[in-house]
């Protein structure tokens, strides 16, 4: 007994569904997580003296530099995340790399 090797059009279409999800799911995740960092960076920009004061009160040196770096990472990083800049570094063959 041999089975036919032909696939119906509906079977072929369902095989493409995981490929479509592999492009939509990461984009959706980036769109959902980026505003968290963006809003955090914007709130730091809205009250710089309070943020610098908290950094200095914790005993860290160069509080203004720490403030500038935090804002740069949060705002710049969230924009890069939304744009998808270098997002494939963490992926290989559709699987997340473990370090």
């Amino acid at each position: 007994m041999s089975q036919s090797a032909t696939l119906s059009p509906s079977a072929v279409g369902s095989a493409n569904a995981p490929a479509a999800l592999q492009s939509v799911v990461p984009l959706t995740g980036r769109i959902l997580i980026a505003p968290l960092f963006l809003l955090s960076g914007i709130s730091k920009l809205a009250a710089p003296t309070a943020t610098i004061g908290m950094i200095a009160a914790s005993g860290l040196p160069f509080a203004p530099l720490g403030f500038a770096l935090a804002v740069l990472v949060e705002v710049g990083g969230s924009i890069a995340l939304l744009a998808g800049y270098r997002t494939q570094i963490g992926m290989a063959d559709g699987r997340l790399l473990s370090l």
Side-chain angles (χ1 to χ4, degrees):
M1 289 190 176
S2 67
Q3 294 180 346
S4 174
T6 60
L7 295 173
S8 68
S10 63
V12 173
S14 65
N16 292 334
L21 283 177
Q22 287 180 358
S23 64
V24 173
V25 171
L27 174 64
T28 304
R30 291 194 320 262
I31 289 171
L32 291 173
I33 200 167
L36 300 173
F37 295 105
L38 185 61
L39 290 174
S40 178
I42 290 172
S43 70
K44 283 178 179 56
L45 283 173
T49 55
T51 305
I52 292 171
M54 287 192 328
I55 294 170
S58 68
L60 294 172
F62 309 113
L65 179 62
F67 167 76
L69 287 174
V71 169
L72 178 68
V73 167
E74 289 178 347
V75 173
S78 64
I79 292 169
L81 190 63
L82 282 173
Y85 178 70
R86 312 248 325 169
T87 55
Q88 290 300 316
I89 289 175
M91 302 291 284
D93 300 328
R95 293 173 296 205
L96 188 62
L97 290 174
S98 59
L99 299 177

